[in-house]
Amino acid sequence: MRMRALAIGSGIAFLAAAGSGCDSSIEVDPRDYDKIPALEQLDYSQVDPAEALRYWEYRFGFGGPESDHTVIGSGGATIKDSIDASLIASFDSARAETGFGVFCLPGYCYKYIVAIRGNHFALWATENELLNFLGEIDSREEAIMLIDANGYHWSTIDIQDGAIRDIDDGYELVVLKTVEFCAPIVTKRYLLRVSSTGVITVVEEEERYRNEGACV
């Protein structure tokens, strides 16, 4: 098998071209779950930050602060076009040098939040900072953002590798995570629970793909 990671603007898609899929002990009944959308397809009106902000953007950066950064999603109390042009110019040029959800090996991509707070802008660029930005996890969108920030990815096609449902005090997800990157490449599948306080609990895990003779 040859596995390659594709940067798709707001997330990572993993393609197993000729991989060894392992027998699964984590079975997802499609009647009980929904597929997890790609990050750029989430409804960001469902993201309610812990503090009131004039405007915020959830961004994807590839290659560091000097490269082009794209907007995955946005929100806030104010329409961007109504904010003072000089403040927006500074806001648009703001870049985080590092971020959460790091991947794209052998390159480097990451995500971060930048927001206008009063007449200044602020950055959230670590997993803990993202959780501080989100506050209570009270939507699927927020749970998915948090999972992505912690290195998990998913299939948007196969519900067995990308599923979500509401549970008491949070959300349950079936997702993937690559845990070894060179001889072998190993990707595991996880059944996770995300609580309203942002605690991620591994309920079950299993090896999903293995490639003994390749490196990312």
Side-chain angles (χ1 to χ4, degrees):
M1 176 192 73
R2 185 178 179 184
M3 181 180 287
R4 60 192 179 97
L6 301 180
I8 53 173
S10 63
I12 304 299
F14 279 81
L15 302 182
S20 58
C22 301
D23 291 338
S24 173
S25 61
I26 302 175
E27 294 295 337
V28 176
D29 187 336
R31 296 170 295 183
D32 296 333
Y33 292 81
D34 297 311
K35 290 180 181 178
I36 304 177
L39 289 175
E40 62 269 26
Q41 295 175 338
L42 296 180
D43 179 3
Y44 288 96
S45 68
Q46 299 302 311
V47 176
D48 183 20
E51 63 175 296
L53 297 165
R54 294 180 67 186
Y55 179 74
W56 59 267
E57 289 182 350
Y58 177 39
R59 292 183 183 170
F60 172 88
F62 184 87
E66 303 304 319
S67 63
D68 290 335
H69 290 206
T70 59
V71 178
I72 305 169
S74 62
T78 306
I79 297 173
K80 186 176 183 180
D81 290 345
S82 69
I83 300 172
D84 180 77
S86 61
L87 180 57
I88 287 298
S90 297
F91 174 82
D92 285 344
S93 64
R95 297 284 190 272
E97 295 185 2
T98 61
F100 45 78
V102 174
F103 216 87
C104 301
L105 295 176
Y108 179 73
C109 66
Y110 56 95
K111 305 174 189 76
Y112 63 97
I113 302 284
V114 59
I116 295 176
R117 176 194 282 153
N119 292 317
H120 305 279
F121 62 85
L123 291 167
W124 291 260
T126 69
E127 294 90 340
N128 285 338
E129 288 174 358
L130 174 65
L131 183 55
N132 290 336
F133 170 83
L134 294 172
E136 182 179 2
I137 306 301
D138 54 8
S139 71
R140 290 185 174 192
E141 285 75 10
E142 293 178 357
I144 292 166
M145 290 173 67
L146 191 62
I147 287 297
D148 175 84
N150 282 273
Y152 296 94
H153 59 277
W154 56 89
S155 170
T156 59
I157 299 171
D158 185 354
I159 199 168
Q160 296 293 331
D161 288 337
I164 187 170
R165 67 176 176 179
D166 301 350
I167 58 173
D168 291 341
D169 191 43
Y171 305 90
E172 188 172 84
L173 303 94
V174 179
V175 290
L176 305 170
K177 189 173 190 177
T178 301
V179 296
E180 300 288 344
F181 294 90
C182 189
I185 300 172
V186 176
T187 297
K188 290 187 175 183
R189 182 161 64 160
Y190 294 85
L191 178 64
L192 304 178
R193 287 180 183 153
V194 179
S195 73
S196 61
T197 58
V199 175
I200 300 171
T201 302
V202 176
V203 180
E204 293 184 63
E205 65 179 272
E206 64 185 8
E207 187 172 300
R208 185 62 164 159
Y209 300 109
R210 171 179 288 263
N211 188 335
E212 296 289 351
C215 295
V216 175

